[in-house]
Amino acid sequence: MKSIVRFTICLIFFSAIIFPQVINAAEKDKYPRKAILSDQTQACISCHQKYTPGIVEDWLTSRHAKTIPVDALNKPILEQRISADKLPVKLGEYAVGCYECHSQNPEKHRDNFQHMGYRINVVVSPNDCKTCHPAEVEQYSGTKKANAYKNIMNNPVYHTLVNTTDGIKKIEAGEVILQDASYSTLHETCLGCHGTKVEVKGMRKVYTGRLMGEVTVPDLTNWPSQGVGRENPDGSIGACTSCHPRHGFSIEVARKPYTCAQCHLDPDVPAWNVYKESKHGNIYSSKKHDWNFSNVPWVVAEDFKSPTCATCHNSLIVTSDGNIIAERTHDFAARLWVRLFGLIYSHPQPKSGDTTIIKNRDGLPLPTTFTGEPASEYLIDKSEQEKRFKTMERVCKSCHSTHWTNGHFEKLDNTIKETNEMTLSATKLLLEAWEKDIEDKTNPFDEAIEKMWIKQWLFYSASIRYASAMTGAPDYAAFKNGWWELSDNLQKMRDLIDIKELTKKKKREEED
Amino acid sequence: MKSIVRFTICLIFFSAIIFPQVINAAEKDKYPRKAILSDQTQACISCHQKYTPGIVEDWLTSRHAKTIPVDALNKPILEQRISADKLPVKLGEYAVGCYECHSQNPEKHRDNFQHMGYRINVVVSPNDCKTCHPAEVEQYSGTKKANAYKNIMNNPVYHTLVNTTDGIKKIEAGEVILQDASYSTLHETCLGCHGTKVEVKGMRKVYTGRLMGEVTVPDLTNWPSQGVGRENPDGSIGACTSCHPRHGFSIEVARKPYTCAQCHLDPDVPAWNVYKESKHGNIYSSKKHDWNFSNVPWVVAEDFKSPTCATCHNSLIVTSDGNIIAERTHDFAARLWVRLFGLIYSHPQPKSGDTTIIKNRDGLPLPTTFTGEPASEYLIDKSEQEKRFKTMERVCKSCHSTHWTNGHFEKLDNTIKETNEMTLSATKLLLEAWEKDIEDKTNPFDEAIEKMWIKQWLFYSASIRYASAMTGAPDYAAFKNGWWELSDNLQKMRDLIDIKELTKKKKREEED
Amino acid sequence: MKSIVRFTICLIFFSAIIFPQVINAAEKDKYPRKAILSDQTQACISCHQKYTPGIVEDWLTSRHAKTIPVDALNKPILEQRISADKLPVKLGEYAVGCYECHSQNPEKHRDNFQHMGYRINVVVSPNDCKTCHPAEVEQYSGTKKANAYKNIMNNPVYHTLVNTTDGIKKIEAGEVILQDASYSTLHETCLGCHGTKVEVKGMRKVYTGRLMGEVTVPDLTNWPSQGVGRENPDGSIGACTSCHPRHGFSIEVARKPYTCAQCHLDPDVPAWNVYKESKHGNIYSSKKHDWNFSNVPWVVAEDFKSPTCATCHNSLIVTSDGNIIAERTHDFAARLWVRLFGLIYSHPQPKSGDTTIIKNRDGLPLPTTFTGEPASEYLIDKSEQEKRFKTMERVCKSCHSTHWTNGHFEKLDNTIKETNEMTLSATKLLLEAWEKDIEDKTNPFDEAIEKMWIKQWLFYSASIRYASAMTGAPDYAAFKNGWWELSDNLQKMRDLIDIKELTKKKKREEED
């Protein structure tokens, strides 16, 4: 009964307030679209313009609100922003509104619920976006990004690192006692980027405010969540909103580096920090106001004069006469031959985005051993490396001479080699500490020398490789998180082994 | 006699140079205002356009230069930018120029002086701004910000931390000898944000340049100064220019996050660092060029699509149909229930902005004891916490669903609990170091283990709470200044206690 | 034979594709220039618009593409962007295109080569730019920037620091063994900013892509390279592209702080970091979209309301009525009296930009001894200091009162004194470590206590001075890289001396 009253309240808004507003808006040319809204979407907006105006206004600025899929299909091929060949009849005729997205594949959605007379999914998943954007979802589905939750939670080595880092430590009898990390803290740290497992654990009453009072909604675990490898209530993985945030779905936002910079930053993945300090980043920051971040296809040197992350890694890039320099891809490793960060040694990209399947010679799910031997059967081979390298190189060469480009990548090769050597030096010291029983290898991530070893590869070596790969940020590679730290850290490991040897000895003497 | 000559020189500028310029300016529509300048302000400008053109040009872009207070009073209530009910007659009719502000309340200003025929105050204080903006000054006057100088200089615990950090250390006979910090260095560090004590210590001759030669002006201590708790020569506290800088008084500047970011940044108050890396910050950085930062009232989702600091903390926010989401406030704790940074443990906001009055159970002027017991009688109670929480929550819910918002704040609650526990663990190790006489608790801030303990709460715990509160910056909370450091630091404290125990023992042996 | 075929291919592009394109462009007013291109430049563009469209499009946006030098010469003196009195006849009549720059002074260029029928230099050097911009090249040639390669590579003390920092360390028998740094890594770290030595080591075949196949080009060492002290194949030093990047030569880019920020950033030269957090930086970030970064001369307070690096350090700054506040200079020390970073103690600027000629009382090529005695005969005297100070002060005083400006610089003087004292304290501890044979002074940069000493001056003292010099970033000077670290580091040095004394003793005991 109550919900009928509430729905009536909504209807009053719907007819009395919203419709005139929309007309008004049209009059003053605020939203220059002709796209017609479906009845369902109009109903959604009628209430939500009142309750969550931010969502509605954001959507109104989106291309989804201003066009209909059928028109999108009829664009010249290079200008197309959807990859479907054909569309469900009803979907094609209306603006892509609230209901169009939040009602897809209801049978799969455990978060589908009855809401004001409509069946709604709370979470829109990649599988829903796939209706219009199948190529993108397909490309994405096999990536390390899509598998990011699994790769960190189901890989026992990685899970130990995560747990050791994020778990509460108690002091008991003077000793540091490690507890398991809470999911809530994982959610705010590693899983903030990697994604959480979003499940429906029942229904939940929420108090929405004075007018509408309590509303019953699916009770989702680990929500809100926008990490790249989110596990969704419909069984799919990934979250398109990681990079196409909220309801504006702005390609400008996705192409600007701040989106990637939400997760790819120092000290472990300093892509953004390095880019900012590079010549590319300088030109971007100085001149971006003159560029076009929305054009499809993206015309090199006409729409932009310096690349952003998207330019090199995934956008469709063409010359001003329409020649394709690089195809659009949502497989973010498609132009990458080598892996620079996150693992002990740099190594060829893994064949599968699911890296839990890897086994190295020591039987661990890591792409190399602790001393650097690659688990080659799980990594892409030379010819695949070459293919991906060529794709990236073509982007470089649209602005740089071949000699310039060659010189750049020769330096990167050397940097990978040298940083791997500096990691190996740290590993040797770690092995000494373990052999001398100064630290305990059972958990390789929880003691002081072990943590210094981690910093050697996770922070410093990775930083130097990024600076090299983007041919910028020399000061970053020298003093910020680079060679200075790499060298200092090694020296400090040496000293600490000697020091802890002494304190361990004394402790043992006392215990005897 | 000399000053008459100089004044005449000024008058020549006044009539010959400035007036035509102003008319010129009007002609080319550079300054589209109709506001009439008072005679006094015209006189000021006549010289200062020559001597400090930056000030004059800056002011010319301001609303102060383009409107008169009477018109400002007649605006619809939601659009009003002044809060006075009525104004002194003369003030209302002219643009708010140099003289209008620099001549207020001369009887209170010890920095009032005779300058080219006029009585001028050097410093414009909140008490002067109060003539037109009484509500803002009133709200501000009771805040921690207004009391920021006192809170750091008159609280003996805090003053010890400040002094220990910023004082010169000499090496005598191999020992580190701490000297008191100079006021000049305090001015450039802590007091740069907290504010300095600005007093008149006499008059001073300054050489202004060839044309005007020496001019006699009040000799102010610790000037220039723009910290939020500045103590002014008229006895008032605060500096509106902290956030409304120089003579442009731009609301755009105050609303953009760079203003707050002058003081609220890493490692101790990383509000800006976290915001930048968050989804909110990403959208702000990517799309801000399309938004309106000057509109009053500020319309959610129409003027902006993602909040800045001001949105959540103090601006007047309305929906597009004029419903108030949050009232304007210059009490920056008005929407805050809990205090996240700067103190050993997170705790409810203090009742009074003057925190020197607090006494905890150990008799110290701190809101908790070293082991975390709150000094509850000085802190706001549950019902006040709830009230402030609700105000903030309304802002969130203008763009996010109730379930989403709930999920967010549940994580924050857990984060506060866990970071407090991690601080307590560090405190236990510190107590061990003190008990074993490894470090000396007389000054709890000057030795190595003590400094590690400080970093645990002042840097790392605070950083994690910020990342949680802004539902962003997962990598910041994981590796940058977060859980990685929180865990590593604890382990290092443990090791250092063992190590220093050994060196202390040896030193004692040698002394025997 | 092959090259004739290729050239013919180019000619086809030239006539069939490019010409119509250019006309098209003119029609749609994309490039509103009337400047005529030389035949040679048209030929360059005909191919390169196809092969490196980024370069061509970038150049098309430049002033070089839109004007001819003769017109540039005829501008009112304050508006001139070239400093030559007269120009070679042919150069004056055409747009400054590919060939105009890449064909200068061929007799000096060891990188000159036959390319598609033209003699081309790969590298355009300051000596080439000098044809039109002699004053700038002249001013620059004597600076520390121009000598930056030499100053770091030919100064044995500095070269040891560089080599120790950037060299690979192997672990042999548990010991850290230092190897010489590879040039490739130097190139990506120190020399990324300082510049590399670019020499021709022969010719090299490069595969440019399917259509043109292999092309033979000069094989340059250490290329690409844009550091400020680059040694060029024509024997000149410097790289104008360090600050005027690529082919846009945008004065906006050079005036915006991101350019300086490529090299002047934390932890050793945190100019950008400090600026960002300062009031100046706040106003810049908030309001830059309203300013004019291209106007020549640059009108204070009209074109901009807050300074960028260029404003204070080298741009031609005038008042709105055309009075010169500061002359343009490309000697970046022309407005600097004191040196704040990079050396052990702050000291007066060196007389010569070539600092390898300095000898201090200990016979080392450093401007002070390790304990702070200045090598005064190599440093500018009081009167020169005063002259440079006055130039800078005039810039400050265009927006700030004399009293304000005085107050600011009094604080800076004190900060220099105090940070020098804090460095001296660290030096005393280092001397103790050397005297006690705890560390070995042969290489003063490779062991733990030595590295802490380096951080004291290279990172922390320098940071505090920057924060003081820009009257901003109080939190940076307090906690980020400032007094907190300066004090903590000293305490840690003290502790580590005691600790390493113990481990050294034990090692010696074991060896006996």
Side-chain angles (χ1 to χ4, degrees), chain B residues 236-284:
Chain B
S236 69
I237 53 175
C240 302
T241 46
S242 302
C243 306
H244 302 279
R246 301 299 292 155
H247 295 86
F249 311 104
S250 157
I251 199 169
E252 177 176 12
V253 171
R255 282 173 171 178
K256 284 189 167 171
Y258 318 108
T259 289
C260 307
Q262 289 179 238
C263 290
H264 291 240
L265 31 68
D266 79 324
D268 53 329
V269 201
W272 163 240
N273 306 75
V274 158
Y275 175 77
K276 251 193 322 184
E277 300 184 7
S278 72
K279 186 71 88 192
H280 287 160
N282 168 17
I283 298 172
Y284 165 79

Side-chain angles (χ1 to χ4, degrees), chain A residues 9 101-102 104 107 161 191 195 197 233 238 260 281 319 334 355 374-375 401-402 427 442 460 465:
Chain A
I9 294 172
C101 296
H102 283 273
Q104 289 286 311
E107 71 291 354
L161 173 56
L191 303 186
K197 192 175 196 70
C260 307
T319 61
T355 58
S401 77
T402 304
T427 306
T442 316
Y460 312 136
R465 290 179 203 130

Side-chain angles (χ1 to χ4, degrees), chain A residues 29 44 57 75 96 114 121 125 149 200 241 243 249 272 276 325 335 350 354 385 452 457 460 495 509:
Chain A
D29 214 34
C44 300
E57 288 278 345
K75 289 226 169 196
V96 184
Q114 185 73 32
N121 309 323
S125 81
Y149 179 82
V200 179
T241 46
C243 306
F249 312 104
W272 163 240
K276 252 193 323 184
I325 294 167
R335 304 180 194 167
D354 175 0
Q385 289 172 47
M452 294 166 91
W457 48 270
Y460 312 136
D495 285 344
E509 286 170 2

Side-chain angles (χ1 to χ4, degrees), chain C residues 306-363:
Chain C
S306 172
T308 66
C309 315
T311 313
C312 298
H313 291 283
N314 78 302
S315 286
L316 166 62
I317 306 294
V318 305
T319 61
S320 56
D321 47 5
N323 284 323
I324 294 174
I325 294 168
E327 300 274 4
R328 180 189 296 118
T329 178
H330 279 65
D331 169 5
F332 294 89
R335 304 179 195 168
L336 294 178
W337 55 104
V338 75
R339 202 162 165 206
L340 299 180
F341 74 94
L343 278 300
I344 310 176
Y345 299 91
S346 183
H347 56 272
Q349 286 285 330
K351 286 178 184 165
S352 166
D354 175 0
T355 58
T356 62
I357 60 172
I358 297 176
K359 283 259 170 302
N360 70 16
R361 291 205 198 167
D362 297 333

Side-chain angles (χ1 to χ4, degrees), chain C residues 17-292:
Chain C
I17 300 169
I18 303 309
F19 254 140
Q21 268 207 348
V22 168
I23 292 163
N24 246 335
E27 281 171 5
K28 54 178 172 166
D29 215 34
K30 187 175 156 194
Y31 313 119
R33 73 193 134 86
K34 290 183 218 138
I36 299 159
L37 309 193
S38 67
D39 290 349
Q40 296 93 330
T41 288
Q42 287 191 49
C44 300
I45 291 178
S46 70
C47 281
H48 278 277
Q49 186 144 2
K50 193 81 191 160
Y51 287 110
T52 53
I55 294 176
V56 175
E57 287 279 346
D58 197 28
W59 173 77
L60 280 167
T61 67
S62 76
R63 184 167 292 261
H64 278 172
K66 292 174 191 153
T67 194
I68 58 171
V70 164
D71 289 348
L73 261 185
N74 291 331
K75 288 227 169 195
I77 189 79
L78 276 180
E79 293 177 28
Q80 284 192 10
R81 290 160 197 255
I82 62 175
S83 53
D85 290 331
K86 52 184 179 186
L87 299 165
V89 175
K90 273 188 292 183
L91 257 193
E93 297 163 7
Y94 296 110
V96 184
C98 321
Y99 187 76
E100 283 65 34
C101 296
H102 282 273
S103 71
Q104 290 285 310
N105 309 304
E107 71 290 355
K108 291 187 179 150
H109 274 273
R110 302 204 51 191
D111 57 323
N112 187 276
F113 76 121
Q114 185 74 30
H115 182 58
M116 307 296 163
Y118 301 91
R119 300 239 33 126
I120 297 294
N121 308 322
V122 180
V123 180
V124 177
S125 80
N127 190 54
D128 302 329
C129 302
K130 200 178 178 179
T131 309
C132 297
H133 305 281
E136 288 67 34
V137 173
E138 195 57 47
Q139 290 159 355
Y140 187 80
S141 66
T143 63
K144 294 195 296 297
K145 276 194 172 48
N147 286 280
Y149 179 81
K150 185 180 182 180
N151 286 344
I152 209 171
M153 295 296 275
N154 298 357
N155 178 323
V157 178
Y158 262 80
H159 192 256
T160 302
L161 174 56
V162 162
N163 208 34
T164 306
T165 302
D166 292 342
I168 287 183
K169 283 94 199 161
K170 300 266 186 188
I171 304 298
E172 293 177 12
E175 291 305 304
V176 179
I177 308 298
L178 172 64
Q179 299 186 341
D180 279 348
S182 69
Y183 205 99
S184 176
T185 283
L186 290 182
H187 189 165
E188 290 192 340
T189 52
C190 306
L191 303 186
C193 288
H194 282 250
T196 60
K197 192 176 196 70
V198 181
E199 291 176 304
V200 180
K201 56 180 174 183
M203 297 299 283
R204 176 183 198 169
K205 285 188 176 167
V206 294
Y207 180 76
T208 60
R210 239 170 300 166
L211 198 53
M212 295 297 285
E214 270 190 350
V215 170
T216 303
V217 298
D219 192 5
L220 301 177
T221 61
N222 315 311
W223 184 253
S225 170
Q226 316 157 74
V228 293
R230 189 179 68 199
E231 302 203 355
N232 301 303
D234 66 349
S236 69
I237 53 175
C240 302
T241 46
S242 302
C243 305
H244 303 280
R246 301 298 293 151
H247 295 85
F249 312 104
S250 157
I251 199 169
E252 177 175 13
V253 172
R255 281 173 170 177
K256 284 189 168 172
Y258 317 109
T259 289
C260 307
Q262 288 179 240
C263 291
H264 291 239
L265 30 68
D266 80 323
D268 54 328
V269 200
W272 163 240
N273 306 75
V274 158
Y275 175 76
K276 253 193 322 185
E277 300 184 7
S278 73
K279 187 70 88 191
H280 286 159
N282 168 18
I283 298 173
Y284 165 79
S285 295
S286 299
K287 300 292 288 179
K288 62 176 188 287
H289 54 96
D290 287 336
W291 302 350
N292 183 335

Side-chain angles (χ1 to χ4, degrees), chain A residues 141-287:
Chain A
S141 65
T143 63
K144 294 194 297 295
K145 277 193 171 48
N147 286 281
Y149 179 82
K150 185 180 182 180
N151 286 344
I152 208 170
M153 296 296 275
N154 297 358
N155 178 324
V157 178
Y158 262 81
H159 192 256
T160 302
L161 173 56
V162 162
N163 208 33
T164 305
T165 302
D166 292 343
I168 287 182
K169 283 94 199 162
K170 300 267 185 188
I171 304 299
E172 290 176 14
E175 290 306 305
V176 179
I177 307 299
L178 172 62
Q179 299 186 342
D180 279 347
S182 69
Y183 205 98
S184 176
T185 283
L186 290 182
H187 189 166
E188 290 193 341
T189 52
C190 307
L191 303 186
C193 289
H194 284 248
T196 62
K197 192 175 196 70
V198 181
E199 293 176 304
V200 179
K201 56 180 174 183
M203 296 299 284
R204 179 184 197 168
K205 286 190 176 166
V206 294
Y207 180 76
T208 60
R210 239 169 299 166
L211 199 52
M212 295 295 286
E214 271 189 349
V215 171
T216 302
V217 297
D219 192 5
L220 302 178
T221 60
N222 317 311
W223 184 252
S225 171
Q226 314 156 75
V228 293
R230 190 178 69 199
E231 301 204 355
N232 301 303
D234 66 349
S236 69
I237 51 175
C240 302
T241 46
S242 302
C243 306
H244 303 280
R246 300 299 293 152
H247 296 85
F249 312 104
S250 159
I251 199 170
E252 177 175 12
V253 171
R255 282 173 170 177
K256 284 190 167 171
Y258 317 108
T259 289
C260 307
Q262 287 179 241
C263 291
H264 291 240
L265 31 68
D266 79 325
D268 54 329
V269 200
W272 163 240
N273 306 74
V274 158
Y275 175 77
K276 252 193 323 184
E277 301 183 7
S278 73
K279 186 71 86 191
H280 287 159
N282 167 19
I283 298 172
Y284 166 78
S285 295
S286 298
K287 299 292 289 178

